[in-house]
Amino acid sequence: MLTAHVVYATMTGNNEEVANIVCDSLTNLNVKVTESEISQTDVADFMKADILVVCAYTYDEGAMPEEGLDFYDDLQSTDLTGKVYGVAGSGDKFYGEYFNTTVDHFDDAFKKAGATSGAEKVKIDLEPYEEDIERLNEFAKELVKNSLEVNAEKG
């Protein structure tokens, strides 16, 4: 059975909702899911899962969640080769070029750690609506599909 660890950072509750949607979708795909808040999570916890997901917000002009900075730094220096990851998050389109840049930063951190992208990044404006839920469900399906392929290659 595949396992997943979904980590979220939230200020308004929107990214906890994003994380919950991803967790529900993964659970419906027969994945054993662990969910945790970013400040309560050690990157080493990711070593126990096949699929790694970060759901984090961007605020102001591209600022990352302060409570997630240590996690972000640790992520970049951890070897996650053989792990499949995905990044989703909400922000506010009001900030234009800075919209959801935290999603991009975590995507880069996972790449630096040697993990394999399992799905396209999902950027949500404010809170998830019906079309966003559909995108998150597809996101989860892609993560599972690609994780099964990576695990098959490992033997």
Side-chain angles (χ1 to χ4, degrees):
M1 174 182 248
L2 286 176
T3 57
H5 195 138
V6 178
V7 176
Y8 67 89
T10 194
M11 189 184 304
T12 61
N14 290 342
N15 280 286
E16 184 174 9
E17 186 176 352
V18 170
N20 289 340
I21 292 164
V22 172
C23 288
D24 289 347
S25 187
L26 289 169
T27 298
N28 290 337
L29 294 165
N30 297 314
V31 176
K32 183 178 182 218
V33 181
T34 301
E35 181 179 19
S36 60
E37 198 278 326
I38 201 163
S39 67
Q40 304 297 311
T41 309
D42 190 298
V43 170
D45 296 339
F46 270 178
M47 302 311 287
K48 302 171 195 162
D50 302 303
I51 300 169
L52 317 174
V53 179
V54 170
C55 302
Y57 64 91
T58 304
Y59 69 99
D60 202 20
E61 293 183 348
M64 290 180 65
E66 196 166 305
E67 68 274 21
L69 292 177
D70 288 340
F71 187 88
Y72 173 76
D73 289 340
D74 292 345
L75 182 63
Q76 295 178 79
S77 60
T78 302
D79 182 6
L80 296 175
T81 304
K83 304 288 184 183
V84 170
Y85 76 90
V87 185
S90 76
D92 188 336
K93 285 189 176 175
F94 170 82
Y95 291 104
E97 69 183 283
Y98 301 107
F99 173 65
N100 270 337
T101 54
T102 295
V103 169
D104 300 324
H105 294 310
F106 272 102
D107 184 62
D108 291 341
F110 273 116
K111 287 176 185 167
K112 192 171 183 181
T116 301
S117 176
E120 254 186 69
K121 302 175 280 190
V122 177
K123 294 183 176 186
I124 295 169
D125 185 29
L126 303 174
E127 64 188 86
Y129 291 98
E130 193 59 43
E131 65 272 9
D132 300 312
I133 294 169
E134 289 174 26
R135 287 172 48 217
L136 290 168
N137 287 333
E138 281 304 310
F139 172 80
K141 285 179 192 170
E142 284 296 307
L143 289 171
V144 169
K145 176 180 160 269
N146 287 309
S147 185
L148 288 170
E149 288 175 10
V150 167
N151 281 338
E153 290 170 12
K154 284 193 251 182

